[in-house]
Amino acid sequence: MPLLPEEPQIHESAQGPRATPASGRTAPTPRPVPGPRPAASSRPGRPGPPRPAPPVQRTSRDAAPAAKPGPSAPPAAADGPQIQLIPASVEGALDAAEEAVDLLLDSGRAPGEVLVITTGEQHPWATHELSFGEASYWAQHDAGDDVFYTDAQLADRAKARPVVVVAVNGGPESVTASALKAAHAGALALLIVCGDPRRINSVLGAGV
């Protein structure tokens, strides 16, 4: 597999930094190039008794204007998805992944088309939902109507989705390699990796 470029591609239609970055973290503004899709509809509510609000709640961006017609994203290559690298530190990788997801949803991607994998600390949403048990957590994955967050240890269980975002936010090289392998296999069209370019290229160059 060819190595990723040191700098991410910049798409003119996907601009704008996060309004309020996480305290103590800095992350470059990602520039994923998602293909315009029809605006996503409102996500249905989850059945069952009320729960405390999760740390992060995704929306389908209904308030945003519908995406203008345009060319579709490049189709996935025969040997795998399109790959984009967003340079970020270990501390900033999760923030970079969050902004990548925001840009994907703003561009018209449906929430259920996006899977996010972390290599280090779990995303707060995953931690919150797993507190209700794995059965409930994976039921939301199977419903496929929302962005789903998991970590490298559970990534092999996640089903393929059009877009997979990986936040290289820690963990040993073996875990990073496992996450990238699962992400590459599970991304149908686009794989976005947020982290240290040299580390990521080293892992990808090793044959992931």
Side-chain angles (χ1 to χ4, degrees):
M1 175 189 302
L3 300 185
L4 297 174
E6 289 292 328
E7 296 295 333
Q9 297 179 3
I10 298 179
H11 191 276
E12 291 296 333
S13 66
Q15 300 288 336
R18 291 175 64 91
T20 307
S23 175
R25 295 184 178 181
T26 58
T29 300
R31 293 293 182 269
V33 187
R37 297 292 181 86
S41 58
S42 297
R43 292 178 294 141
R46 298 189 179 115
R51 298 178 176 180
V56 174
Q57 182 176 1
R58 290 288 167 196
T59 67
S60 58
R61 301 300 194 270
D62 288 335
K68 295 181 180 180
S72 300
D79 58 347
Q82 177 187 355
I83 302 175
Q84 289 188 344
L85 171 62
I86 298 175
S89 65
V90 171
E91 296 77 13
L94 193 55
D95 282 343
E98 284 287 349
E99 186 164 350
V101 172
D102 287 341
L103 290 170
L104 288 162
L105 298 181
D106 286 339
S107 76
R109 284 279 182 185
E113 293 183 333
V114 183
L115 170 69
V116 180
I117 300 173
T118 57
T119 65
E121 184 179 354
Q122 273 188 338
H123 188 280
W125 182 92
T127 301
H128 177 269
E129 294 302 324
L130 280 167
S131 70
F132 296 99
E134 286 199 15
S136 173
Y137 173 74
W138 287 108
Q140 295 184 60
H141 165 271
D142 294 341
D145 58 7
D146 203 352
V147 178
F148 189 78
Y149 298 84
T150 189
D151 62 20
Q153 306 299 325
L154 300 174
D156 285 341
R157 185 172 171 181
K159 295 178 182 178
R161 291 196 177 192
V163 183
V164 178
V165 180
V166 179
V168 184
N169 62 332
E173 295 297 321
S174 60
V175 172
T176 300
S178 174
L180 289 176
K181 182 177 180 180
H184 188 267
L188 301 177
L190 178 63
L191 170 60
I192 300 173
V193 187
C194 306
D196 177 14
R198 293 181 181 178
R199 180 181 183 189
I200 294 167
N201 278 322
S202 174
V203 174
L204 289 174
V208 174

